[in-house]
Amino acid sequence: MITDPDDVVWTLDAADADDADAADVRTSLLVLPHAGGNAHAYTEWRTFLPADVRLLIGQYPGRGARFSDPLPNGVDDLVGPILESLPAGTDDLVVLGHSMGSLVAFEVARALTLAGRAPRALIASACRAPFIANPSTVHPERLTDDELVTAIKARGGTDDGILDEPELREIIIPSIRADFAIDDVYRYTGPSPALSCPVTAIGGTEDPVVPLDALTRWADITTGPAAFEYLPGGHFYFQQQLERFFGLVNSVVSGAPTPHEFA
């Protein structure tokens, strides 16, 4: 039972928007974080979006104001509360996920499609296509806390200072274990293609987690157009080039032609 939807889906309008401007929101961009990630890590994205685009960020259980919520056991535990907590006025919606968040984004998009509310587009960042078995499993259940921290640092995306601080690490490790356990085993086995909206997949040229062929297979999951783009960098390639990354994202949000369509 969701007691406060605002804790599950954060809503960030333009910093200078007042109540009158809220009616001028053209599109909503829903962002789903990576394994072990939290909504706060994506709040700076607001500054790279047009003023008429509302930024929505999903917050998973076990972190932030949801720290006391039961940890997720499967992807449905991440998807269900987000669907229940989407704010009003999200008929024109683009869904974006990074890493494991792309799998959550796919399931959100699939549920909305089945409900007759298909999103306008899906953006999958640094993630295998959902019907492909995870090529880079972590097996957190086999790792000590120190070994898990080493594995997380190798991927990037998390402040090493937090991981090196014993008290903070004790707080975040349980949710990281839960997320990676979900990511390890998730594989979509239902009817395909499952989506009708355009899909854009973006990855890093030096990403050790997601092979090129695993990224490009996102084309198989939709009856709509599909495209891909590679940017320099590893699994969190966008951290070094947010402006270039958002050039791609904003093209999708604006409905501009996708950069490199799959055959």
Side-chain angles (χ1 to χ4, degrees):
M1 183 72 177
I2 301 302
T3 56
D4 192 344
D6 290 340
D7 291 339
V8 181
V9 176
W10 294 16
T11 302
L12 285 77
D13 291 310
D16 58 352
D18 55 27
D19 290 341
D21 293 328
D24 297 330
V25 169
R26 169 174 56 88
T27 301
S28 295
L29 175 67
L30 172 63
V31 174
L32 286 313
H34 57 282
N38 61 71
H40 184 268
Y42 293 86
T43 56
E44 69 171 313
W45 285 21
R46 171 61 266 173
T47 61
F48 293 89
L49 295 170
D52 60 352
V53 175
R54 171 195 293 159
L55 176 60
L56 308 174
I57 312 174
Q59 181 75 300
Y60 302 146
R63 59 219 86 186
R66 302 190 68 197
F67 181 77
S68 298
D69 289 2
L71 291 172
N73 292 311
V75 71
D76 289 346
D77 294 334
L78 303 175
V79 173
I82 290 167
L83 289 169
E84 294 176 22
S85 301
L86 286 175
T90 55
D91 292 336
D92 189 43
L93 179 68
V94 174
V95 187
L96 182 157
H98 179 70
S99 194
M100 182 199 73
S102 296
L103 304 177
V104 181
F106 164 72
E107 288 291 351
V108 168
R110 188 170 74 90
L112 291 173
T113 300
L114 289 172
R117 299 172 52 205
R120 185 154 57 77
L122 170 68
I123 302 173
S125 171
C127 186
R128 68 194 187 276
F131 54 84
I132 295 177
N134 192 337
S136 303
T137 51
V138 175
H139 296 294
E141 73 281 359
R142 303 178 186 174
L143 304 179
T144 66
D145 286 356
D146 288 341
E147 290 170 336
L148 183 58
V149 165
T150 298
I152 297 166
K153 287 183 177 181
R155 293 189 175 213
T158 302
D159 185 351
D160 287 355
I162 294 175
L163 294 173
D164 292 334
E165 175 57 46
E167 291 184 359
L168 294 176
R169 190 170 78 172
E170 184 177 349
I171 292 173
I172 66 173
I173 282 291
S175 60
I176 291 174
R177 284 189 180 279
D179 288 357
F180 276 115
I182 293 170
D183 191 27
D184 273 358
V185 302
Y186 175 87
R187 189 175 187 180
Y188 175 67
T189 58
S192 192
L195 304 179
S196 58
C197 65
V199 174
T200 297
I202 310 174
T205 55
E206 301 166 25
D207 186 351
V209 178
V210 184
L212 172 62
D213 58 351
L215 184 83
T216 57
R217 294 294 302 279
W218 278 94
D220 299 341
I221 209 67
T222 183
T223 58
F228 78 100
E229 185 74 29
Y230 262 68
L231 298 179
H235 195 55
F236 285 83
Y237 62 90
F238 61 81
Q239 291 181 329
Q240 285 72 47
Q241 46 191 334
L242 276 172
E243 289 188 6
R244 189 172 174 187
F245 172 69
F246 271 97
L248 298 172
V249 171
N250 285 328
S251 291
V252 175
V253 170
S254 68
T258 48
H260 296 101
E261 289 198 2
F262 294 115

